[in-house]
Amino acid sequence: MRLSRYFMPILRETPKEAEIVSHRLMLRAGLIRQQAAGSYTWLPLGLRVLDKVNAIIREEQNRSGAIELLMPTIQSADLWRESGRYDAYGKEMLRIKDRHERDMLYGPTNEEMITDIFRAYVKSYKDVPLNLYHIQWKFRDEVRPRFGVMRSREFLMKDAYSFDLDQAGARHSYNKMFVAYLRTFHRLGLTAIPMRAESGPIGGDMSHEFIILASTGESEVFCDKAFLDYQVPPADTNFDDVAGLESIVKKWTTPYAATSEMHDAGAFDTLPADDRVSARGIEVGHIFYFGTKYSLPMNAVVKGPDGQDVPVHMGSYGIGPSRLIAAVIEASHDDGGIIWPEAIAPFKVGILNLKAGDQATDAACETLYHALETRGIDVLYDDTDERPGAKFATADLIGLPWQAVIGPKGLAEGKIELKRRTDGSRQLVSLEDAVAILSA
């Protein structure tokens, strides 16, 4: 993509309304634009990141055996009345009426709708376990939306919902999602630590929040240092291996890890001082088993092996892709701007033409641009007539993993400069070597 033909509105000044780093950088780098309180347009650069995050989430959900569908944003209030949540949910729910005066709502979550879909089609124990997921926009009318997409009213959510014959089956479904989440966050360049969360009236130990450590995190978290060295389960993990998944989950839930709400200072203090990690954290995912909470009131039953109706056991598993992008930026930035993990960077390489209009410089940039595009590399070519200093500032701000800096001085020696955004390291290489390095 040539920057001269791209839509990337950069702000040089920090917007006054932006309170945290991710909000400031997302506005300045032209990823989002606020349309109303807690509501944002995803501009082209931001949408590219969002699409890449969604692609990784989909790959890991599919790998675990979950099946994608797409549910509507507008839901009937009648479903929520069946579950008993319509009146109990509170003002966060945006309640509306259609032209026939029927009560509707903009979905803040999808437990009722997915339960309705399940009960309409699944009748036998032979058709479970089943895990259905979608990636869809949600709306919760927060009293005070703030921090950009970190806490917005309209947000993108990946919801998965599992259905099992009994609690043992539900635990295996839970473990599948647990491992899928570990892999997902790792591929996004994050170290996510599972921390036991409040299970509500159901109780038990089947509720975990996945927390990334970031100095600008919302809350204080406490954990064993061992988590920082754990190896994430590989891509060839067998998700049908009940004992194997159970052992993985046990490994990742045995060391101490707690948010401030669940913190046990006495248990934490039993760890050796050098093994205690006390830091700020951001929640990036939540998995939860809720048993028959929805299947009983909504009559979501299957015929068991003995021919008797059995209410299915359910779980829900959430990741907020839009919020997740803000969390990535909170964990990965410097004074210059964003530092994207390569897997979700909007472009892998930024080519900086330091003297647009110079024949040799233009030719070298075009050669590199076409060579990388031919190899399927996402490239943003800054072919504008901006000054070099402005180009450097923009490249650092938008945080692409590689900058290929091309100017007359380097070309006189047959070299271009490659800069890695993660550590600022630079190397002078030939054009041919640059293609090889950036294509790896």
Side-chain angles (χ1 to χ4, degrees), residues 193-208:
I193 300 171
M195 301 190 178
R196 202 175 83 179
E198 178 59 51
S199 296
I202 296 170
D205 61 352
M206 291 172 66
S207 180
H208 288 87

Side-chain angles (χ1 to χ4, degrees), residues 9-239:
I10 296 294
L11 302 179
R12 298 301 177 192
E13 301 296 326
T14 299
K16 294 179 181 179
E17 71 272 19
E19 299 178 59
I20 62 172
V21 170
S22 59
H23 192 191
R24 292 196 293 269
L25 292 178
M26 291 183 80
L27 291 171
R28 286 193 56 217
L31 273 67
I32 58 172
R33 182 181 190 275
Q34 181 170 319
Q35 300 301 143
S39 179
Y40 294 86
T41 291
W42 285 80
L43 299 171
L45 200 71
L47 185 59
R48 289 182 70 93
V49 179
L50 193 60
D51 286 344
K52 291 188 176 187
V53 169
N54 288 341
I56 290 174
I57 290 172
R58 281 192 173 96
E59 288 172 12
E60 294 304 328
Q61 290 293 289
N62 296 344
R63 190 194 307 277
S64 74
I67 302 167
E68 186 173 10
L69 46 64
L70 183 61
M71 292 177 273
T73 57
I74 303 299
Q75 303 182 29
S76 168
D78 290 341
L79 288 176
W80 285 67
R81 290 190 174 108
E82 280 191 62
S83 71
R85 286 209 298 172
Y86 184 69
D87 294 321
Y89 198 86
K91 292 184 178 180
E92 289 77 21
M93 179 190 290
L94 181 62
R95 294 166 170 84
I96 55 182
K97 289 182 182 290
D98 67 10
R99 68 190 328 172
H100 302 291
E101 294 298 310
R102 289 177 298 218
D103 290 327
M104 310 291 284
L105 59 99
Y106 193 127
T109 184
N110 280 80
E111 283 82 0
E112 285 81 1
M113 184 170 286
I114 198 69
T115 304
D116 180 55
I117 292 168
F118 177 87
R119 71 183 178 182
Y121 297 109
V122 182
K123 306 299 182 184
S124 170
Y125 74 94
K126 295 179 181 179
D127 298 322
V128 294
L130 181 65
N131 190 326
L132 301 172
Y133 80 95
H134 76 160
I135 300 175
Q136 180 61 289
W137 292 97
K138 301 284 193 296
F139 188 93
R140 295 177 188 166
D141 198 0
E142 297 279 353
V143 175
R144 188 188 174 199
R146 57 193 303 220
F147 303 149
V149 298
M150 184 72 78
R151 187 178 298 170
S152 56
R153 294 197 298 170
E154 188 176 25
F155 55 94
L156 192 62
M157 195 75 181
K158 188 285 302 180
D159 303 290
Y161 300 95
S162 62
F163 302 85
D164 286 273
L165 190 62
D166 52 29
Q167 186 171 357
R171 176 169 287 280
H172 182 50
S173 293
Y174 185 94
N175 290 345
K176 286 182 179 181
M177 286 292 99
F178 189 104
V179 173
Y181 275 39
L182 290 176
R183 287 193 44 75
T184 298
F185 297 127
H186 177 70
R187 290 185 59 190
L188 294 172
L190 299 171
T191 299
I193 300 171
M195 301 190 178
R196 202 175 83 179
E198 178 59 51
S199 296
I202 296 170
D205 61 352
M206 291 172 66
S207 180
H208 288 87
E209 295 176 355
F210 288 77
I211 305 290
I212 63 169
L213 304 183
S215 60
T216 52
E218 302 164 291
S219 59
E220 192 171 11
V221 297
F222 307 85
C223 68
D224 191 316
K225 188 175 69 174
F227 282 110
L228 305 180
D229 297 321
Y230 275 8
Q231 295 299 305
V232 168
D236 62 356
T237 296
N238 182 359
F239 282 87

